[in-house]
Amino acid sequence: DRVALAIKSEEIREKQAQEMAKVLDPTQMEKFNTYVDKNSRKRPRYTNQLLEQIKTETQLSDEQYAMLNAANDAFEKSFNDAHDVYHGNTEMAKEYWNKFDSQRKEALKKAFTPEQHAKYLEIVRDQSFKGKE
């Protein structure tokens, strides 16, 4: 299960960062975090920080926030489930990412007010497929 593995990897990285903070000074810690961030696999979804930003800036109700999380989880699951189809083909992976992202945005359009949806689209405008570098 790719999602469960990714969640576990995030937890391990967080614990690792806590341990490293005990031995590195702030400058070294910044370099360490930059390196780990650049070289770690990322889950293909909105981060928890971005989800909180969306919730706060669009003033989502608890029900709407639950819908946001559900749409985000569905996006991640769909993209990961398609992995065997696009594996090794960055262009195809990007097509799948864009397809599932459009579905996520369309689902949220139904859950948000027009004003909230416009603000949401503004917040996520820079979220795009990130292939291997």
Side-chain angles (χ1 to χ4, degrees):
D1 182 1
R2 292 180 191 281
V3 174
L5 181 62
I7 290 169
K8 187 68 175 170
S9 293
E10 283 181 350
E11 291 170 359
I12 291 169
R13 279 194 303 275
E14 286 177 24
K15 288 178 184 174
Q16 179 186 34
Q18 291 170 358
E19 291 298 315
M20 294 303 288
K22 295 176 185 176
V23 296
L24 299 178
D25 66 39
T27 303
Q28 292 170 323
M29 195 63 199
E30 185 177 328
K31 288 179 184 177
F32 171 78
N33 286 334
T34 300
Y35 177 83
V36 169
D37 189 49
K38 181 181 179 212
N39 292 292
S40 297
R41 282 188 182 250
K42 309 289 184 301
R43 291 172 64 192
R45 66 191 322 269
Y46 298 150
T47 64
N48 291 338
Q49 295 85 355
L50 185 59
L51 291 170
E52 284 299 319
Q53 179 185 358
I54 294 166
K55 179 182 180 182
T56 303
E57 292 185 23
T58 59
Q59 300 177 344
L60 298 180
S61 68
D62 289 342
E63 185 177 306
Q64 289 173 314
Y65 188 61
M67 289 295 296
L68 172 63
N69 277 299
N72 198 40
D73 290 345
F75 168 85
E76 180 178 27
K77 182 172 181 351
S78 296
F79 188 73
N80 281 328
D81 286 352
H83 180 265
D84 289 342
V85 177
Y86 65 73
H87 180 76
N89 185 334
T90 304
E91 283 305 310
M92 186 177 279
K94 183 177 181 178
E95 286 179 36
Y96 273 98
W97 196 98
N98 289 331
K99 173 186 172 186
F100 297 135
D101 185 47
S102 294
Q103 291 172 352
R104 172 174 51 184
K105 288 176 179 168
E106 192 60 33
L108 292 172
K109 187 175 188 177
K110 297 172 186 170
F112 295 170
T113 66
E115 295 79 17
Q116 287 173 319
H117 194 258
K119 183 65 177 175
Y120 154 73
L121 292 176
E122 180 184 320
I123 294 168
V124 300
R125 74 178 173 275
D126 293 335
Q127 300 297 308
S128 62
F129 175 75
K130 307 218 179 0
K132 291 186 177 185
E133 294 180 6

